[in-house]
């Protein structure tokens, strides 16, 4: 099984005939405005997982689905049914003003699961925190909640295939419900420092690792660019790695395009 990382919470998991895309979002930088998962990979994707509706996680999901005909799994609050069609929040729409149809969508509530081919996907609790983003001379603050685009449909996933389990927590603050998940691989955010409290910071992420008890950890959603800002979610990944390894758990620091095999 191979895992590739493409910044933020964007991953490709490939094992045998399966290629799972997690959060096919958009790279938002003043020098790079493109798909996180390269377009050359889209056609061969077999499953698409969306942890929530923020643009860095959802921006390209409909395009990847169209290119690949892959089923899409998401949280139930990211979707609605109208006239027998399943609609998801428009990946590139403004707030909640537009919804678009997805041919093969599987919205899940926490604890629900779906088997697609030989891949089982279970929805795990994930709670998106508030955001605070500097725009020019202002700071835009958003609190997730009813009627808000921020964090809509927030969910984590437990993926089981080929005898291995992978847990991806999306953008979440610490949750006690994660106790005892014990996956082979845990992907979790660590960049919730200071005003950027939409995810765990290094300290909370370490607590999550202790609760969950994985074999291997991949930190994500930190030190990423946003428009002209170099690192919008700063974190000391080397300190995190040292502390995880003191627990007897492997930790892989992955940059854009890096690949590991498990």
């Amino acid at each position: 099984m191979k895992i590739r990382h493409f910044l933020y919470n964007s991953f490709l998991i490939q094992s045998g005939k399966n290629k799972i895309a997690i959060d096919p979002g958009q790279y938002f930088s003043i020098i790079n405005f493109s798909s996180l998962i390269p377009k050359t990979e889209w056609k061969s994707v077999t499953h698409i997982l969306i942890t929530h509706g923020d643009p860095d996680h959802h921006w390209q999901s409909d395009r990847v689905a169209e290119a690949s005909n892959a089923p899409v799994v998401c949280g139930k609050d990211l979707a609605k049914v109208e006239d027998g069609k399943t609609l998801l929040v428009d990946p590139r729409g403004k707030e909640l003003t537009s919804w678009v149809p997805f041919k093969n969508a599987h919205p899940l509530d926490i604890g629900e699961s779906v088997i697609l081919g030989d891949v089982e996907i279970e929805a795990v609790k994930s709670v998106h925190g508030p955001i605070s983003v500097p725009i020019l001379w202002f700071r835009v603050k958003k609190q997730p909640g009813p009627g808000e685009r921020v964090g809509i449909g927030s969910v984590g996933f437990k993926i089981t295939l080929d005898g291995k389990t992978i847990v991806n927590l999306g953008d979440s603050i610490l949750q006690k419900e994660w106790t005892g998940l014990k996956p082979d691989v845990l992907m979790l955010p660590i960049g919730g420092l200071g005003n950027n409290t939409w995810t765990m910071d290094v300290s909370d992420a370490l607590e999550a690792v202790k609760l969950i008890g994985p074999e291997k950890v991949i930190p994500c959603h930190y030190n990423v660019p946003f428009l002209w800002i170099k690192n919008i979610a700063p974190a000391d990944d080397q300190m995190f790695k040292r502390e995880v390894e003191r627990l007897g758990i492997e930790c892989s620091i992955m940059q854009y395009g890096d690949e590991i095999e498990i």
Side-chain angles (χ1 to χ4, degrees):
M1 181 182 295
K2 295 179 180 179
I3 298 174
R4 278 182 285 168
H5 184 36
F6 298 97
L7 297 185
Y8 295 87
N9 189 51
S10 196
F11 290 89
L12 283 177
I13 303 167
Q14 189 163 7
S15 183
K17 64 182 181 180
N18 295 301
K19 183 187 282 189
I20 302 168
I22 301 177
D23 284 353
Q26 184 80 352
Y27 195 111
F28 293 102
S29 167
I30 199 168
I31 60 172
N32 190 345
F33 191 82
S34 62
S35 172
L36 290 171
I37 295 177
K39 292 183 179 180
T40 54
E41 303 285 351
W42 289 6
K43 190 174 181 180
S44 57
V45 166
T46 60
H47 302 73
I48 300 167
L49 278 57
I50 308 169
T51 64
H52 61 288
D54 290 1
D56 54 318
H57 300 257
H58 182 39
W59 188 274
Q60 301 287 1
S61 57
D62 58 335
R63 293 168 174 165
V64 179
E66 182 178 0
S68 63
N69 289 315
V72 175
V73 184
C74 64
K76 68 178 182 63
D77 291 334
L78 192 65
K80 65 179 180 179
V81 177
E82 286 187 356
D83 298 326
K85 296 181 179 180
T86 300
L87 310 178
L88 271 62
V89 171
D90 188 341
R92 294 166 299 281
K94 184 178 180 181
E95 300 302 336
L96 303 180
T97 57
S98 60
W99 299 70
V100 294
F102 276 65
K103 295 179 182 178
N104 191 2
H106 302 266
L108 299 178
D109 203 352
I110 304 306
E112 292 182 338
S113 62
V114 62
I115 298 175
L116 299 169
D118 51 4
V119 180
E120 181 176 4
I121 303 160
E122 179 183 347
V124 175
K125 186 173 182 180
S126 178
V127 177
H128 196 290
I131 68 169
S132 179
V133 179
I135 302 292
L136 297 177
W137 300 276
F138 306 96
R139 183 169 287 275
V140 176
K141 297 182 179 181
K142 290 276 190 174
Q143 180 75 37
E148 288 286 351
R149 174 68 181 255
V150 171
I152 188 170
S154 184
V155 69
F157 294 108
K158 181 180 179 181
I159 307 158
T160 304
L161 74 158
D162 294 341
K164 295 185 183 297
T165 58
I166 298 168
V167 169
N168 183 292
L169 296 176
D171 285 5
S172 185
I173 55 178
L174 183 63
Q175 300 297 305
K176 63 180 181 181
E177 288 86 350
W178 298 334
T179 302
L181 284 172
K182 296 188 179 300
D184 293 284
V185 179
L186 170 64
M187 303 164 173
L188 82 172
I190 66 170
L193 182 65
N195 289 316
N196 300 319
T197 55
W198 61 78
T199 77
M200 293 175 281
D201 59 11
V202 166
S203 177
D204 281 347
L206 286 169
E207 288 302 312
V209 170
K210 294 173 185 176
L211 289 175
I212 294 168
E215 294 293 322
K216 179 187 282 289
V217 173
I218 302 173
C220 58
H221 209 281
Y222 69 96
N223 293 352
V224 289
F226 179 73
L227 300 179
W228 57 88
I229 304 168
K230 184 178 180 180
N231 292 324
I232 195 171
D236 188 338
D237 56 2
Q238 293 303 317
M239 182 184 78
F240 178 78
K241 177 180 172 69
R242 288 194 301 271
E243 294 301 316
V244 168
E245 291 176 344
R246 284 178 182 171
L247 299 172
I249 298 170
E250 294 182 40
C251 183
S252 293
I253 304 298
M254 300 183 71
Q255 308 300 326
Y256 183 90
D258 283 355
E259 178 180 281
I260 61 171
E261 188 167 346
I262 63 168

